[in-house]
Structure formats: structure tokens, C-alpha cells
Amino acid sequence: MAYANDGTKILQLQNDGKLYSRGVIVNLNTWADYVFKPGYELKTLPETEAFILENGHLPGVPNEKEIKEDGL
């Protein structure tokens, strides 16, 4: 459970997987389907591996800090 500063419950996850919240923001403005379009140049596996080793996440995917700050 998560509580607001005034002590009211704002988020609850139950054992059966149900999540209760005051609000949810779903952003559908971005999705990676563009990688399947003709002409999109995919990185090679070695390039992708090098990027992951250097940055700790997949190319084109936000890192943990960005997701924590901005959401997915």
C-alpha cells in the first residue's frame, strides 16, 4: 500500500493481483512499431550488444531513471 502525506491510502495491490489507485495515466503516443516499416535500419546484434553494455538498456527504450522520473 502507498499513502499520501495526509495518511489516506492512494494505492493498493492485493494478493489476487488487483490494483486499486486514484488514477492511472496511460500514454499510447509512443510505440516501437516503426521498427517494422520498410527502410528502418535495425542495429546489428553486435551493435545492440555494445549499446546494452555501455548504457545498460536497449536502444530506443528509456532507462530506469527516465522511467522513474517520466513514466513509460
Side-chain angles (χ1 to χ4, degrees), residues 2 4 10 37 39 43 53 55 64 66-67 69:
I10 58 173
K37 292 185 178 179
K43 292 184 180 298
L53 291 173
N55 299 284
E64 179 183 17
E66 293 171 318
I67 289 177
E69 290 176 357

Side-chain angles (χ1 to χ4, degrees), residues 11-58:
L11 182 71
Q12 177 179 344
L13 176 61
Q14 293 187 200
N15 291 338
D16 62 1
K18 292 180 181 153
L19 178 67
Y20 294 89
S21 170
R22 288 185 180 177
V24 177
I25 297 173
V26 178
N27 182 345
L28 299 176
N29 294 332
T30 59
W31 198 250
D33 283 350
Y34 57 85
V35 301
F36 299 109
K37 292 185 178 179
Y40 182 82
E41 292 187 31
L42 290 170
K43 292 184 180 298
T44 66
L45 288 177
E47 289 171 331
T48 302
E49 179 183 30
F51 183 93
I52 292 169
L53 291 173
E54 183 177 334
N55 299 284
H57 62 92
L58 288 166

